Amino acid sequence: MRLFRDRGFSTVNAIALVMSFAVFGAVFLLIQFLQSTQHMSPLEAGVRTLPWTGMPLLVAPLTAPLMARIGTRAVLAAALAFQAAGLGWLAAVTGPATTYGEFVPGFVLAGAGMGLFFPPLARLVLDRAPVEYAGVASGTSNALRQLGTVLGIAVLGAVFAANGDMSGPQAFTDGLLPALWVGTATLAAAAAAAFLIPPVSRAGTTAAAPAPEPAEVGA
């Protein structure tokens, strides 16, 4: 828990949780929208999301040169901004009669953001922890992302249930739109928070949390 004394480590992990909260909570509802409102099978709905899930294959290789050029925090902020723009697009166009083609730009934006997100996240998490705690830091980040997914499905699902239901296309849309806007706002706030991550003083340690003594590591 001493790692969380460092503001950068806490901020990075909060951002990881928030991204999973917003994106995977929204995906959970969008997949059901494609099936219940647009009458797609589970397989058809999954295939239709390929512009989202496939974009990281194209975008992820660009992250290393981008981090070298504009900085890790800037790439992380851009990744979150792309995802916020993608969810915002989906929220703006979604309706009972929305065609699949209208969803594609939002899927592409969100997928590009996802492809840019994970490499700078991993770099920042490991940079905020002493080398001796690299495994602990990585495991913490992964656990919080999984927690974010659980919370996203629960909270955005509750937002959906408070505003609509699955009784028909319009009722589903009435519940989905507020949930998408909540996800969009959350991602936008996380994009701004990325610039609050303080710089690292030197490799393997942080300005706010020096590396522990050997005795502490053994303990």
Side-chain angles (χ1 to χ4, degrees):
M1 295 302 296
R2 67 168 61 90
L3 293 174
F4 286 98
R5 296 173 186 167
D6 174 55
R7 179 165 60 89
F9 185 82
S10 297
T11 303
V12 171
N13 281 287
I15 287 172
L17 185 149
V18 164
M19 191 284 291
S20 293
F21 169 93
V23 171
F24 295 111
V27 167
F28 174 75
L29 295 172
L30 283 165
I31 289 292
Q32 295 186 63
F33 177 84
L34 294 176
Q35 294 179 65
S36 64
T37 300
Q38 302 207 338
H39 309 294
M40 298 181 187
S41 69
L43 177 59
E44 289 171 335
V47 169
R48 296 305 197 283
T49 62
L50 280 175
W52 190 333
T53 57
M55 279 301 293
L57 296 175
L58 302 176
V59 175
L62 303 176
T63 54
L66 280 174
M67 287 190 290
R69 185 176 181 85
I70 66 174
T72 307
R73 290 182 300 172
V75 174
L76 187 69
L80 292 159
F82 272 114
Q83 292 178 80
L87 281 193
W89 177 283
L90 294 170
V93 304
T94 295
T98 303
T99 64
Y100 170 71
E102 294 176 86
F103 288 127
V104 172
F107 288 167
V108 170
L109 284 169
M114 188 172 290
L116 291 172
F117 181 78
F118 291 104
L121 176 74
R123 171 74 63 81
L124 288 167
V125 166
L126 294 178
D127 280 352
R128 305 308 309 186
V131 174
E132 294 87 353
Y133 285 108
V136 174
S138 178
T140 298
S141 178
N142 287 330
L144 288 173
R145 284 193 290 109
Q146 297 301 321
L147 178 60
T149 299
V150 173
L151 292 174
I153 292 172
V155 174
L156 296 190
V159 172
F160 170 87
N163 293 277
D165 55 48
M166 300 180 70
S167 61
Q170 186 59 57
F172 199 112
T173 302
D174 290 342
L176 176 61
L177 291 181
L180 290 179
W181 284 122
V182 169
T184 300
T186 303
L187 286 168
F195 291 105
L196 301 178
I197 302 169
V200 177
S201 60
R202 61 184 184 276
T205 62
T206 66
E213 296 297 326
E216 293 179 320
V217 175

